[in-house]
Structure formats: C-alpha cells, structure tokens
C-alpha cells in the first residue's frame, strides 16, 4: 500500500514546496505561535491550558490553509 502512495506523496511534496503560499502560511503560523506566548502570559488562571489550546488551534488552522491552497493549486494545474 505504501509503495502505491509513495510516488503521489513525493509529487505532492515537490509541488507544495514550489507553491509560494506555503512560505506565507508558515510565517503566519510562527507569528501566531509567538503571539501565543504573549497571550498566555497575560492570563491569570490556567495559562498552560490557554497556551495548549492556542497552539493546537494554530496548527489546525494552518494545516487547513495548507491543504486548501496546495489542493487548489494542484487541481488547477491538472485541468
């Protein structure tokens, strides 16, 4: 099963690296994770819980944006 999916994963990775949106989304993720330190430092209670929730939300949002933009780019090139 992996042998069948490996070429698709390699092609998707190479096309994704060529996409300039990935760099912008990665920068956005780093900025949000940096803001996480500031926001969690302002919380009086449960700073750890707030930091974890913000970090998971950042990873989820940026993962969604990456899938969206890379997918649209690959579909656009296919047609």
């Amino acid at each position: 099963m992996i042998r069948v999916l490996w070429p698709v994963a390699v092609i998707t990775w190479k096309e994704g690296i060529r996409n300039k949106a990935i760099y912008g989304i990665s920068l956005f993720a780093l900025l949000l994770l940096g803001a996480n330190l500031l926001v969690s430092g302002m919380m009086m209670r449960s700073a750890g819980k707030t930091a974890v929730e913000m970090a998971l939300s950042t990873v989820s949002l940026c993962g969604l944006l990456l899938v969206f933009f890379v997918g649209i780019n690959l579909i656009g090139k296919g047609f």
Side-chain angles (χ1 to χ4, degrees), residues 15-68:
E15 287 294 323
I17 293 299
R18 291 182 194 146
N19 192 353
K20 301 298 181 199
I22 288 181
Y23 300 118
I25 294 170
S26 300
L27 180 64
F28 180 65
L30 289 174
L31 289 173
L32 283 178
L33 289 174
N36 183 9
L37 296 173
L38 293 173
V39 171
S40 62
M42 292 180 196
M43 297 294 162
M44 295 296 256
R45 294 184 187 174
S46 65
K49 182 180 175 186
T50 303
V52 168
E53 287 179 357
M54 283 189 63
L56 289 174
S57 297
T58 299
V59 169
S60 178
L61 174 67
C62 292
L64 178 68
L65 289 174
L66 283 172
V67 168
F68 181 73

Side-chain angles (χ1 to χ4, degrees), residues 4-17:
V4 175
L5 294 178
W6 187 251
V8 174
V10 169
I11 290 170
T12 304
W13 175 256
K14 287 180 181 179
E15 287 294 323
I17 293 299

